[in-house]
Every structure is written in structure tokens, then in C-alpha cells.
Amino acid sequence: WLVNGAWECWFFGASFGLRAFDGLVLPMMVGLGFLIQAVAGQPWLRRGFLLLALLLAFLNVNLVYLARKDVLSSERPVTHAEMGSLLLQFWRGR
């Protein structure tokens, strides 16, 4: 919240992938390491965590593809609803 609130525009100047959070990658990796260690002993949590991570990575790759094909705007802020609609249209073949 502090990093987000420090920016002059809430949408980070329409940057794809929220590049404004680059400075937080290292602390987030430490937290992710603790999370992975916490779920390592419980197989069902580990599987759920892995499934969620794979799903999010898959969706991100799809959004990058749509942005590269100029279907998803990289010049203006895009709402989550618009991203979801574009992903559904992409997978339905429209």
C-alpha cells in the first residue's frame, strides 16, 4: 500500500505488469520462500499452491500475448473486467 500510495497516478502510468513494484521483488521473494516452506509439509496445500501458481503464470503469459498482438492496450489503463473479457474471447476463438 505504501509503494502504491507513493505514486502520483494509481494506475502506474499504464505500465504493463505493474513495473512500479520492481523494487519490492526481493522482499516478496523472501516472503514467497517462507510461504513455500510452510506448505511443503502438507501435500494438499502444496498441490493447491502449485496449481494456483501455474494458473496465474498461464494467465500472465496469455495477457502478454494479447498485449503483443495489440488486442490488449498497453497505452492506457485496462480494468480486470476488460482483461477477463479479452481472455475469454481469445480462448473462445473470437
XYZ file of all heavy atoms in Angstrom:
751
model
N 0.824 -1.186 0.000
C 0.000 0.000 0.000
C 0.868 1.250 0.000
O 0.521 2.241 -0.634
C -0.924 0.005 1.199
C -2.017 -1.009 1.107
C -2.660 -1.428 -0.028
C -2.606 -1.729 2.173
N -3.625 -2.345 0.268
C -3.620 -2.553 1.629
C -2.402 -1.758 3.526
C -4.402 -3.377 2.405
C -3.185 -2.575 4.298
C -4.178 -3.370 3.736
N 1.969 1.191 0.720
C 2.848 2.349 0.794
C 3.451 2.661 -0.580
O 3.445 3.808 -1.021
C 3.964 2.098 1.815
C 4.951 3.234 2.029
C 4.239 4.451 2.604
C 6.056 2.798 2.961
N 3.935 1.633 -1.273
C 4.514 1.849 -2.603
C 3.444 2.336 -3.568
O 3.649 3.273 -4.330
C 5.171 0.554 -3.127
C 5.603 0.709 -4.575
C 6.355 0.175 -2.261
N 2.272 1.711 -3.527
C 1.184 2.108 -4.402
C 0.741 3.538 -4.114
O 0.495 4.325 -5.028
C 0.018 1.141 -4.242
C -1.007 1.271 -5.338
O -0.745 1.812 -6.389
N -2.190 0.763 -5.086
N 0.633 3.887 -2.853
C 0.194 5.223 -2.473
C 1.210 6.308 -2.775
O 0.868 7.486 -2.867
N 2.475 5.948 -2.943
C 3.517 6.941 -3.205
C 3.527 7.399 -4.662
O 4.129 8.411 -4.986
C 4.886 6.371 -2.834
N 2.872 6.662 -5.535
C 2.842 7.041 -6.948
C 1.829 8.152 -7.177
O 0.809 8.227 -6.502
C 2.471 5.827 -7.802
C 3.666 5.052 -8.221
C 4.444 4.268 -7.416
C 4.251 4.992 -9.507
N 5.458 3.729 -8.125
C 5.364 4.150 -9.420
C 3.936 5.552 -10.722
C 6.169 3.864 -10.507
C 4.733 5.265 -11.810
C 5.833 4.439 -11.696
N 2.119 8.998 -8.173
C 1.219 10.118 -8.462
C -0.029 9.690 -9.214
O -1.006 10.414 -9.234
C 1.954 11.214 -9.243
C 2.346 10.844 -10.660
C 3.683 10.112 -10.766
O 4.325 9.847 -9.748
O 4.067 9.801 -11.895
N -0.006 8.532 -9.850
C -1.195 8.049 -10.542
C -1.430 6.595 -10.150
O -0.510 5.782 -10.157
C -1.073 8.207 -12.052
S 0.345 7.419 -12.785
N -2.637 6.258 -9.792
C -2.952 4.940 -9.240
C -2.704 3.803 -10.211
O -2.491 2.677 -9.818
C -4.398 4.897 -8.741
C -5.406 5.052 -9.835
C -5.954 6.215 -10.273
C -5.972 4.026 -10.636
N -6.822 5.993 -11.295
C -6.860 4.646 -11.551
C -5.843 2.645 -10.693
C -7.597 3.937 -12.486
C -6.569 1.939 -11.628
C -7.437 2.585 -12.505
N -2.698 4.077 -11.521
C -2.537 3.008 -12.499
C -1.094 2.899 -12.984
O -0.813 2.225 -13.956
C -3.499 3.195 -13.682
C -3.440 4.556 -14.311
C -2.540 4.833 -15.315
C -4.307 5.551 -13.893
C -2.490 6.094 -15.895
C -4.265 6.809 -14.473
C -3.353 7.083 -15.475
N -0.158 3.556 -12.312
C 1.278 3.472 -12.604
C 1.614 3.869 -14.036
O 2.490 3.293 -14.663
C 1.828 2.066 -12.332
C 1.631 1.600 -10.929
C 0.932 0.438 -10.677
C 2.127 2.317 -9.860
C 0.748 -0.003 -9.387
C 1.946 1.886 -8.565
C 1.252 0.725 -8.331
N 0.900 4.819 -14.581
C 1.197 5.291 -15.922
C 0.948 4.249 -16.996
O 1.628 4.223 -18.005
N -0.020 3.374 -16.775
C -0.411 2.330 -17.726
C 0.728 1.361 -18.023
O 0.840 0.849 -19.117
C -0.952 2.934 -19.014
N 1.579 1.099 -17.053
C 2.666 0.142 -17.280
C 2.117 -1.272 -17.225
O 1.325 -1.624 -16.368
C 3.757 0.325 -16.229
O 3.292 -0.011 -14.947
N 2.527 -2.099 -18.180
C 2.062 -3.481 -18.216
C 2.835 -4.280 -17.184
O 4.054 -4.240 -17.123
C 2.267 -4.092 -19.598
C 1.708 -5.474 -19.704
C 0.348 -5.661 -19.880
C 2.519 -6.567 -19.595
C -0.188 -6.922 -19.967
C 1.999 -7.835 -19.683
C 0.642 -8.011 -19.866
N 2.126 -5.008 -16.348
C 2.770 -5.855 -15.354
C 3.125 -5.144 -14.065
O 3.845 -5.679 -13.237
N 2.666 -3.959 -13.874
C 2.918 -3.177 -12.666
C 4.408 -3.049 -12.360
O 4.903 -3.463 -11.319
C 2.166 -3.770 -11.476
C 0.642 -3.719 -11.586
C -0.002 -4.401 -10.408
C 0.146 -2.309 -11.685
N 5.136 -2.489 -13.292
C 6.580 -2.315 -13.124
C 6.925 -1.470 -11.909
O 8.068 -1.447 -11.478
C 7.161 -1.679 -14.380
C 7.227 -2.636 -15.518
C 7.923 -1.998 -16.711
N 7.330 -2.582 -17.899
C 6.625 -1.918 -18.783
N 6.436 -0.631 -18.648
N 6.111 -2.527 -19.816
N 5.960 -0.780 -11.360
C 6.214 0.052 -10.189
C 6.631 -0.777 -8.983
O 7.247 -0.266 -8.057
C 4.966 0.856 -9.846
N 6.317 -2.054 -9.004
C 6.655 -2.913 -7.872
C 8.005 -3.608 -8.026
O 8.341 -4.493 -7.240
C 5.560 -3.958 -7.653
C 4.278 -3.373 -7.153
C 3.145 -3.425 -7.933
C 4.199 -2.768 -5.918
C 1.952 -2.889 -7.482
C 3.026 -2.221 -5.460
C 1.894 -2.280 -6.244
N 8.817 -3.230 -9.017
C 10.119 -3.869 -9.223
C 11.005 -3.800 -7.984
O 11.750 -4.732 -7.702
C 10.858 -3.242 -10.400
C 10.342 -3.737 -11.731
O 9.519 -4.673 -11.738
O 10.762 -3.185 -12.765
N 10.926 -2.710 -7.266
C 11.739 -2.560 -6.067
C 11.335 -3.481 -4.933
O 12.075 -3.642 -3.961
N 10.175 -4.091 -5.033
C 9.698 -4.986 -3.983
C 9.917 -6.465 -4.294
O 9.507 -7.323 -3.523
C 8.200 -4.754 -3.752
C 7.832 -3.397 -3.188
C 6.322 -3.253 -3.118
C 8.435 -3.215 -1.820
N 10.575 -6.765 -5.410
C 10.737 -8.163 -5.803
C 11.513 -8.946 -4.752
O 11.112 -10.052 -4.363
C 11.405 -8.263 -7.193
C 11.804 -9.686 -7.503
C 10.460 -7.742 -8.255
N 12.629 -8.426 -4.270
C 13.433 -9.160 -3.293
C 12.674 -9.439 -1.996
O 12.625 -10.599 -1.551
C 14.745 -8.424 -3.026
C 15.711 -9.142 -2.090
C 16.116 -10.492 -2.669
C 16.943 -8.278 -1.852
N 12.044 -8.425 -1.362
C 11.276 -8.749 -0.146
C 10.121 -9.722 -0.412
O 9.820 -10.578 0.420
C 10.735 -7.391 0.320
C 11.604 -6.373 -0.307
C 12.096 -6.977 -1.578
N 9.506 -9.622 -1.572
C 8.413 -10.545 -1.881
C 8.936 -11.961 -2.088
O 8.259 -12.932 -1.750
C 7.645 -10.057 -3.103
C 6.823 -8.818 -2.806
S 5.992 -8.148 -4.242
C 4.748 -9.370 -4.508
N 10.137 -12.103 -2.631
C 10.731 -13.428 -2.808
C 11.025 -14.075 -1.459
O 10.863 -15.287 -1.295
C 12.008 -13.339 -3.639
C 11.755 -12.973 -5.084
S 10.680 -14.118 -5.955
C 11.698 -15.551 -6.017
N 11.458 -13.289 -0.492
C 11.696 -13.823 0.849
C 10.376 -14.321 1.436
O 10.297 -15.429 1.972
C 12.353 -12.757 1.753
C 12.415 -13.230 3.199
C 13.741 -12.412 1.241
N 9.326 -13.517 1.304
C 8.009 -13.931 1.792
C 7.492 -15.157 1.068
O 6.912 -16.062 1.682
N 7.712 -15.227 -0.242
C 7.296 -16.400 -1.012
C 8.062 -17.639 -0.567
O 7.500 -18.728 -0.480
C 7.511 -16.144 -2.508
C 7.063 -17.239 -3.459
C 5.555 -17.453 -3.353
C 7.452 -16.884 -4.884
N 9.340 -17.480 -0.256
C 10.137 -18.596 0.253
C 9.576 -19.128 1.564
O 9.490 -20.353 1.767
N 9.185 -18.243 2.463
C 8.568 -18.670 3.729
C 7.238 -19.370 3.470
O 6.914 -20.365 4.130
C 8.361 -17.486 4.676
C 9.606 -17.057 5.393
C 10.122 -15.793 5.195
C 10.268 -17.918 6.253
C 11.276 -15.388 5.847
C 11.427 -17.527 6.920
C 11.931 -16.254 6.709
N 6.462 -18.879 2.523
C 5.188 -19.496 2.193
C 5.391 -20.901 1.618
O 4.697 -21.850 1.998
C 4.411 -18.621 1.208
C 3.035 -19.119 0.789
C 2.114 -19.217 1.996
C 2.448 -18.202 -0.258
N 6.345 -21.044 0.711
C 6.639 -22.361 0.137
C 7.105 -23.329 1.220
O 6.703 -24.497 1.242
C 7.685 -22.229 -0.990
C 7.063 -21.520 -2.188
C 8.244 -23.592 -1.385
C 8.054 -21.148 -3.269
N 7.928 -22.864 2.120
C 8.393 -23.708 3.215
C 7.234 -24.118 4.124
O 7.179 -25.244 4.608
C 9.463 -22.975 4.025
C 10.134 -23.813 5.080
C 11.229 -23.048 5.794
O 11.266 -21.817 5.761
N 12.115 -23.770 6.439
N 6.285 -23.220 4.333
C 5.144 -23.518 5.210
C 4.219 -24.570 4.608
O 3.665 -25.392 5.331
C 4.362 -22.236 5.502
N 4.044 -24.558 3.287
C 3.135 -25.524 2.665
C 3.836 -26.821 2.266
O 3.182 -27.775 1.858
C 2.418 -24.929 1.429
C 1.619 -23.715 1.801
C 3.367 -24.662 0.290
N 5.154 -26.872 2.391
C 5.918 -28.049 1.943
C 5.540 -29.312 2.704
O 5.563 -30.405 2.145
C 7.413 -27.792 2.070
N 5.172 -29.188 3.953
C 4.853 -30.366 4.760
C 3.433 -30.879 4.584
O 3.090 -31.940 5.114
N 2.599 -30.162 3.879
C 1.205 -30.550 3.705
C 0.917 -30.736 2.218
O 0.791 -29.764 1.480
C 0.288 -29.499 4.313
C 0.567 -29.293 5.791
C -0.265 -28.184 6.378
O -1.062 -27.564 5.695
N -0.083 -27.942 7.656
N 0.818 -31.991 1.776
C 0.691 -32.268 0.335
C -0.486 -31.567 -0.345
O -0.345 -31.050 -1.451
C 0.522 -33.782 0.270
C 1.039 -34.301 1.555
C 0.858 -33.206 2.561
N -1.644 -31.512 0.283
C -2.810 -30.891 -0.362
C -2.623 -29.391 -0.504
O -3.037 -28.796 -1.493
C -4.092 -31.252 0.374
C -4.149 -30.779 1.786
C -3.662 -31.406 2.891
C -4.714 -29.554 2.250
N -3.886 -30.654 4.018
C -4.540 -29.516 3.653
C -5.353 -28.499 1.627
C -4.974 -28.455 4.428
C -5.794 -27.439 2.406
C -5.604 -27.433 3.795
N -1.999 -28.747 0.488
C -1.708 -27.310 0.378
C -0.648 -27.059 -0.685
O -0.730 -26.088 -1.442
C -1.216 -26.765 1.719
C -2.250 -26.148 2.641
C -1.612 -25.683 3.934
C -2.991 -25.022 1.988
N 0.355 -27.928 -0.739
C 1.414 -27.791 -1.732
C 0.848 -27.906 -3.149
O 1.179 -27.124 -4.031
C 2.503 -28.831 -1.493
C 3.706 -28.663 -2.394
C 4.819 -29.637 -2.093
N 4.343 -30.996 -2.312
C 4.520 -32.000 -1.459
N 5.161 -31.797 -0.327
N 4.067 -33.201 -1.726
N -0.041 -28.878 -3.358
C -0.667 -29.045 -4.673
C -1.532 -27.834 -5.030
O -1.525 -27.368 -6.162
C -1.510 -30.316 -4.708
C -0.690 -31.554 -4.807
C -1.571 -32.774 -5.007
N -0.866 -33.943 -4.552
C -1.182 -34.673 -3.498
N -2.240 -34.378 -2.776
N -0.459 -35.714 -3.161
N -2.287 -27.343 -4.065
C -3.124 -26.164 -4.310
C -2.288 -24.933 -4.626
O -2.622 -24.154 -5.521
N -1.199 -24.770 -3.898
C -0.300 -23.641 -4.133
C 0.325 -23.743 -5.515
O 0.379 -22.756 -6.257
C 0.780 -23.620 -3.052
C 1.752 -22.485 -3.179
C 1.402 -21.206 -2.785
C 3.016 -22.700 -3.696
C 2.295 -20.156 -2.915
C 3.906 -21.665 -3.829
C 3.548 -20.389 -3.431
N 0.768 -24.934 -5.890
C 1.361 -25.141 -7.208
C 0.340 -24.897 -8.316
O 0.642 -24.248 -9.322
C 1.943 -26.547 -7.319
C 2.586 -26.902 -8.651
C 3.781 -26.009 -8.925
C 3.001 -28.357 -8.657
N -0.874 -25.386 -8.125
C -1.929 -25.181 -9.117
C -2.242 -23.694 -9.291
O -2.373 -23.201 -10.412
C -3.180 -25.949 -8.715
C -4.355 -25.871 -9.675
C -3.987 -26.523 -11.005
C -5.564 -26.549 -9.078
N -2.335 -22.971 -8.189
C -2.593 -21.531 -8.255
C -1.451 -20.802 -8.962
O -1.690 -19.937 -9.813
C -2.802 -20.957 -6.850
C -3.036 -19.453 -6.772
C -4.339 -19.085 -7.468
C -3.038 -18.992 -5.328
N -0.212 -21.154 -8.637
C 0.945 -20.511 -9.270
C 0.965 -20.785 -10.773
O 1.226 -19.879 -11.571
C 2.238 -20.994 -8.617
N 0.677 -22.024 -11.168
C 0.645 -22.361 -12.596
C -0.479 -21.633 -13.322
O -0.298 -21.152 -14.446
C 0.511 -23.870 -12.780
C 1.751 -24.687 -12.443
C 1.432 -26.171 -12.503
C 2.899 -24.333 -13.352
N -1.644 -21.536 -12.699
C -2.765 -20.828 -13.299
C -2.438 -19.349 -13.500
O -2.681 -18.785 -14.577
C -4.019 -20.975 -12.435
C -5.232 -20.165 -12.889
C -5.777 -20.717 -14.196
C -6.294 -20.155 -11.819
N -1.862 -18.721 -12.482
C -1.513 -17.301 -12.596
C -0.428 -17.072 -13.649
O -0.490 -16.101 -14.408
C -1.078 -16.758 -11.238
C -2.182 -16.672 -10.186
C -1.604 -16.260 -8.839
C -3.279 -15.722 -10.617
N 0.556 -17.968 -13.723
C 1.594 -17.845 -14.747
C 0.993 -18.009 -16.141
O 1.329 -17.261 -17.065
C 2.689 -18.883 -14.505
N 0.092 -18.972 -16.297
C -0.566 -19.210 -17.575
C -1.379 -17.987 -18.010
O -1.312 -17.556 -19.167
C -1.460 -20.449 -17.459
C -2.203 -20.782 -18.709
C -1.552 -21.341 -19.792
C -3.562 -20.534 -18.804
C -2.240 -21.646 -20.953
C -4.261 -20.833 -19.959
C -3.597 -21.396 -21.034
N -2.131 -17.412 -17.084
C -2.915 -16.213 -17.411
C -2.011 -15.041 -17.774
O -2.307 -14.278 -18.691
C -3.834 -15.845 -16.250
C -5.009 -16.775 -16.014
C -5.755 -16.372 -14.750
C -5.945 -16.799 -17.198
N -0.902 -14.904 -17.077
C 0.018 -13.815 -17.373
C 0.633 -13.958 -18.762
O 0.742 -12.984 -19.505
C 1.117 -13.744 -16.316
C 1.913 -12.463 -16.420
O 1.338 -11.398 -16.596
N 3.221 -12.573 -16.322
N 1.005 -15.179 -19.136
C 1.550 -15.413 -20.477
C 0.502 -15.065 -21.540
O 0.822 -14.464 -22.563
C 2.049 -16.864 -20.629
C 2.344 -17.211 -22.069
C 3.283 -17.077 -19.766
N -0.753 -15.422 -21.274
C -1.826 -15.084 -22.210
C -2.001 -13.576 -22.336
O -2.208 -13.061 -23.436
C -3.145 -15.716 -21.768
C -3.222 -17.172 -22.111
O -3.561 -17.525 -23.216
N -2.873 -18.019 -21.165
N -1.927 -12.854 -21.221
C -2.074 -11.397 -21.269
C -0.908 -10.747 -22.017
O -1.108 -9.788 -22.771
C -2.187 -10.828 -19.854
C -3.490 -11.139 -19.129
C -3.417 -10.679 -17.677
C -4.673 -10.495 -19.839
N 0.296 -11.266 -21.834
C 1.444 -10.741 -22.574
C 1.240 -10.972 -24.072
O 1.495 -10.085 -24.887
C 2.761 -11.393 -22.091
C 3.915 -11.048 -23.019
C 3.078 -10.950 -20.680
N 0.760 -12.150 -24.429
C 0.492 -12.456 -25.841
C -0.541 -11.482 -26.421
O -0.352 -10.945 -27.515
C 0.002 -13.897 -25.973
C -0.394 -14.265 -27.377
C 0.573 -14.576 -28.323
C -1.724 -14.284 -27.761
C 0.216 -14.900 -29.620
C -2.088 -14.604 -29.056
C -1.111 -14.918 -29.985
O -1.471 -15.230 -31.263
N -1.620 -11.252 -25.682
C -2.656 -10.330 -26.155
C -2.129 -8.904 -26.283
O -2.496 -8.170 -27.198
C -3.874 -10.372 -25.237
C -4.686 -11.655 -25.260
C -5.784 -11.610 -24.211
C -5.268 -11.908 -26.634
N -1.249 -8.506 -25.373
C -0.667 -7.163 -25.450
C 0.266 -7.052 -26.649
O 0.295 -6.027 -27.330
C 0.080 -6.843 -24.161
N 1.019 -8.096 -26.931
C 1.933 -8.085 -28.084
C 1.178 -8.062 -29.413
O 1.673 -7.534 -30.395
C 2.876 -9.283 -28.047
C 3.806 -9.291 -26.892
C 4.912 -8.295 -27.112
N 5.849 -8.368 -26.013
C 6.398 -7.317 -25.459
N 6.112 -6.120 -25.900
N 7.235 -7.445 -24.464
N -0.004 -8.653 -29.429
C -0.821 -8.662 -30.641
C -1.697 -7.419 -30.739
O -2.535 -7.320 -31.624
C -1.716 -9.913 -30.676
C -0.950 -11.197 -30.815
C -0.350 -11.270 -32.200
C 0.349 -12.590 -32.406
N 0.959 -12.693 -33.709
N -1.519 -6.460 -29.836
C -2.288 -5.215 -29.779
C -3.783 -5.434 -29.595
O -4.594 -4.623 -30.021
C -2.029 -4.345 -31.010
C -0.643 -3.744 -31.003
O -0.129 -3.482 -29.895
O -0.073 -3.540 -32.089
N -4.158 -6.532 -28.986
C -5.556 -6.765 -28.623
C -5.829 -6.106 -27.278
O -6.867 -5.503 -27.061
C -5.862 -8.277 -28.568
C -7.269 -8.542 -28.088
C -5.612 -8.919 -29.921
N -4.860 -6.196 -26.379
C -4.934 -5.594 -25.048
C -4.077 -4.335 -25.070
O -2.909 -4.389 -25.449
C -4.406 -6.586 -24.010
C -4.391 -6.152 -22.568
C -5.810 -6.037 -22.038
C -3.609 -7.145 -21.736
N -4.650 -3.220 -24.698
C -3.939 -1.948 -24.762
C -2.798 -1.900 -23.762
O -2.958 -2.240 -22.595
C -4.899 -0.793 -24.479
O -4.184 0.418 -24.423
N -1.640 -1.474 -24.231
C -0.518 -1.235 -23.325
C -0.271 0.264 -23.176
O 0.694 0.675 -22.562
C 0.737 -1.935 -23.847
O 1.058 -1.466 -25.134
N -1.163 1.066 -23.727
C -1.030 2.521 -23.690
C -1.973 3.188 -22.696
O -1.854 4.372 -22.444
C -1.290 3.109 -25.087
C -0.345 2.594 -26.145
C 1.099 2.971 -25.866
O 1.328 4.094 -25.374
O 1.983 2.141 -26.118
N -2.931 2.440 -22.174
C -3.902 3.026 -21.246
C -4.231 1.999 -20.163
O -3.998 0.810 -20.344
C -5.168 3.436 -21.988
C -5.909 2.271 -22.599
C -7.251 2.681 -23.201
N -7.908 1.532 -23.787
C -8.580 0.622 -23.115
N -8.694 0.711 -21.807
N -9.152 -0.399 -23.736
N -4.788 2.450 -19.062
C -5.178 1.503 -18.008
C -6.273 0.556 -18.509
O -7.164 0.962 -19.256
C -5.725 2.392 -16.896
C -5.260 3.756 -17.193
C -5.022 3.827 -18.667
N -6.192 -0.690 -18.117
C -7.169 -1.709 -18.508
C -7.746 -2.306 -17.231
O -7.007 -2.660 -16.319
C -6.503 -2.817 -19.356
C -7.508 -3.866 -19.752
C -5.840 -2.216 -20.583
N -9.053 -2.402 -17.160
C -9.694 -2.952 -15.969
C -9.565 -4.478 -15.955
O -9.314 -5.113 -16.979
C -11.186 -2.585 -15.917
O -11.848 -3.217 -17.014
C -11.388 -1.072 -15.977
N -9.758 -5.055 -14.774
C -9.734 -6.510 -14.659
C -10.854 -7.133 -15.481
O -10.680 -8.192 -16.075
C -9.844 -6.929 -13.189
C -8.604 -6.654 -12.413
N -8.474 -5.553 -11.635
C -7.431 -7.334 -12.336
C -7.282 -5.549 -11.074
N -6.622 -6.615 -11.487
N -12.004 -6.475 -15.512
C -13.129 -6.991 -16.296
C -12.783 -7.025 -17.782
O -13.105 -7.990 -18.486
C -14.368 -6.135 -16.061
N -12.103 -5.987 -18.267
C -11.705 -5.955 -19.675
C -10.678 -7.049 -19.984
O -10.765 -7.722 -21.016
C -11.129 -4.580 -20.023
C -10.853 -4.393 -21.495
C -10.348 -2.988 -21.825
O -10.382 -2.103 -20.946
O -9.926 -2.792 -22.975
N -9.720 -7.246 -19.071
C -8.739 -8.317 -19.270
C -9.428 -9.676 -19.306
O -9.134 -10.519 -20.158
C -7.683 -8.306 -18.157
C -6.646 -7.240 -18.320
S -5.273 -7.408 -17.175
C -6.033 -6.963 -15.633
N -10.350 -9.901 -18.379
C -11.071 -11.169 -18.348
C -11.888 -11.388 -19.602
O -11.898 -12.486 -20.166
N -12.549 -10.341 -20.068
C -13.346 -10.442 -21.288
C -12.467 -10.762 -22.495
O -12.815 -11.606 -23.326
C -14.090 -9.122 -21.511
O -14.738 -9.114 -22.742
N -11.314 -10.111 -22.583
C -10.403 -10.374 -23.702
C -9.851 -11.791 -23.645
O -9.698 -12.449 -24.678
C -9.275 -9.355 -23.707
C -9.665 -7.944 -24.138
C -8.517 -6.971 -23.887
C -10.079 -7.920 -25.585
N -9.545 -12.281 -22.445
C -9.063 -13.660 -22.318
C -10.129 -14.655 -22.738
O -9.837 -15.628 -23.440
C -8.621 -13.941 -20.873
C -7.254 -13.404 -20.474
C -7.048 -13.551 -18.975
C -6.146 -14.093 -21.245
N -11.370 -14.417 -22.334
C -12.462 -15.313 -22.729
C -12.669 -15.297 -24.238
O -12.862 -16.349 -24.864
C -13.746 -14.948 -22.008
C -13.818 -15.293 -20.530
C -15.091 -14.743 -19.903
C -13.705 -16.782 -20.317
N -12.625 -14.108 -24.830
C -12.775 -14.015 -26.285
C -11.625 -14.742 -26.998
O -11.835 -15.416 -27.993
C -12.793 -12.551 -26.721
C -14.054 -11.815 -26.368
C -13.955 -10.335 -26.699
O -13.052 -9.907 -27.405
N -14.892 -9.564 -26.176
N -10.434 -14.603 -26.463
C -9.263 -15.252 -27.059
C -9.414 -16.769 -27.032
O -9.172 -17.450 -28.018
C -8.001 -14.820 -26.301
C -6.767 -15.562 -26.695
C -6.185 -15.351 -27.935
C -6.173 -16.460 -25.829
C -5.033 -16.026 -28.304
C -5.025 -17.136 -26.194
C -4.455 -16.927 -27.433
N -9.851 -17.308 -25.905
C -9.969 -18.768 -25.788
C -11.199 -19.325 -26.475
O -11.250 -20.504 -26.787
C -9.912 -19.187 -24.321
C -8.492 -19.177 -23.866
C -7.893 -18.227 -23.090
C -7.477 -20.101 -24.238
N -6.573 -18.523 -22.946
C -6.279 -19.672 -23.630
C -7.456 -21.244 -25.023
C -5.088 -20.359 -23.799
C -6.263 -21.937 -25.169
C -5.098 -21.489 -24.560
N -12.172 -18.475 -26.734
C -13.347 -18.932 -27.499
C -13.101 -18.835 -29.001
O -13.909 -19.289 -29.796
C -14.570 -18.084 -27.140
C -15.108 -18.402 -25.766
C -16.326 -17.568 -25.500
N -16.813 -17.793 -24.154
C -17.559 -16.940 -23.500
N -17.925 -15.809 -24.062
N -17.958 -17.220 -22.288
N -12.005 -18.209 -29.390
C -11.635 -18.124 -30.792
C -12.243 -16.957 -31.534
O -12.344 -16.964 -32.745
N -12.651 -15.929 -30.838
C -13.258 -14.759 -31.492
C -12.259 -13.664 -31.660
O -11.404 -13.387 -30.999
C -14.438 -14.240 -30.670
C -15.530 -15.242 -30.639
C -16.709 -14.700 -29.888
N -17.683 -15.774 -29.776
C -18.603 -15.805 -28.870
N -18.689 -14.854 -27.976
N -19.457 -16.783 -28.820
